[in-house]
């Protein structure tokens, strides 16, 4: 059960799936709550893919959360781009010439230069080795630690 708020800040209870977020009535927003550590909690946390969100915190906290979320998504996208377009059998020039259609050639060239730098490759290899040494697997699923802690406090 989620809480919604209209343009007059009147609250209402909502039963939504993620796909329903884009079909909300005009003016209705989903309330997003944060814990004392400024992490998103509650049922609305999984609906943040939608565009009609009302943050019950200051603008600075909402901005911080959104920038962190965008940063994470950008990092994941960069990794996917590299995995999709990098071929170790190709030369640097060939990789640069094989730029994705939606990325400017000069930006792709800078990205390839960065990824092929010796320091970057050493860092990636070091991080890979560190990840392999982790003996406790991540088993908490998609739910954030903040949401799990908030549920424990409530129950």
């Amino acid at each position: 059960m989620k809480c919604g708020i209209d343009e007059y800040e009147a609250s209402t209870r909502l039963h939504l799936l993620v796909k329903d977020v884009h079909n909300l009535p005009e003016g209705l927003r989903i309330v997003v709550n944060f814990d004392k550590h400024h992490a998103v909690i509650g049922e609305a946390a999984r609906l943040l893919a939608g565009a009609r969100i009302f943050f019950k915190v200051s603008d600075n906290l909402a901005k911080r959360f959104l920038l962190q979320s965008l940063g994470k998504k950008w990092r994941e996208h960069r990794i996917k781009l590299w995995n999709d377009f990098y071929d170790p059998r190709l030369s640097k020039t060939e990789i640069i010439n094989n730029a994705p259609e939606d990325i400017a050639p000069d930006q792709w060239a800078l990205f390839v230069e960065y990824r092929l730098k010796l320091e970057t490759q050493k860092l990636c290899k070091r991080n890979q080795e560190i990840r392999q040494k982790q003996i406790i697997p991540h088993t908490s699923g998609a739910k954030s630690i903040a949401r799990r802690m908030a549920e424990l406090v409530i129950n």
Side-chain angles (χ1 to χ4, degrees):
M1 174 110 32
K2 288 94 183 149
C3 182
I5 192 165
D6 64 17
E7 64 265 25
Y8 306 108
E9 297 195 16
S11 294
T12 183
R13 291 278 184 204
L14 303 170
H15 294 281
L16 293 174
L17 299 174
V18 174
K19 65 182 176 114
D20 299 328
V21 171
H22 299 287
N23 298 320
L24 287 174
E26 190 64 35
L28 189 62
R29 304 289 185 262
I30 297 167
V31 176
V32 178
N33 293 303
F34 291 80
D35 67 7
K36 65 181 179 182
H37 304 290
H38 312 300
V40 177
I41 59 172
E43 286 295 311
R46 67 181 180 84
L47 298 175
L48 283 173
R52 298 181 189 182
I53 305 293
F54 176 77
F55 291 96
K56 286 182 76 172
V57 293
S58 70
D59 287 344
N60 287 338
L61 290 178
K63 181 179 176 181
R64 178 177 163 230
F65 168 76
L66 290 172
L67 288 175
Q68 286 176 338
S69 180
L70 284 172
K72 180 181 178 193
K73 287 173 177 59
W74 174 236
R75 283 189 302 277
E76 290 168 357
H77 181 66
R78 281 192 330 232
I79 292 167
K80 183 179 180 333
L81 270 177
W82 187 247
N83 290 337
D84 288 349
F85 287 89
Y86 174 69
D87 185 347
R89 298 170 294 183
L90 299 177
S91 69
K92 179 169 45 172
T93 306
E94 290 171 319
I95 295 170
I96 290 172
N97 291 336
N98 186 28
E101 293 178 9
D102 56 342
I103 297 180
D106 58 332
Q107 291 179 351
W108 178 251
L110 289 172
F111 179 64
V112 171
E113 290 283 342
Y114 168 75
R115 289 299 306 226
L116 293 177
K117 279 171 53 176
L118 185 59
E119 300 87 41
T120 304
Q121 291 179 350
K122 284 181 182 178
L123 181 64
C124 290
K125 184 164 180 58
R126 186 180 133 253
N127 290 341
Q128 181 182 22
E129 290 168 357
I130 290 170
R131 284 191 306 271
Q132 289 174 349
K133 290 179 184 177
Q134 292 178 345
I135 56 174
I136 301 173
H138 182 289
T139 59
S140 65
K143 194 177 286 190
S144 71
I145 292 173
R147 282 182 63 200
R148 288 189 186 279
M149 287 175 53
E151 288 173 358
L152 290 174
V153 170
I154 292 170
N155 294 332

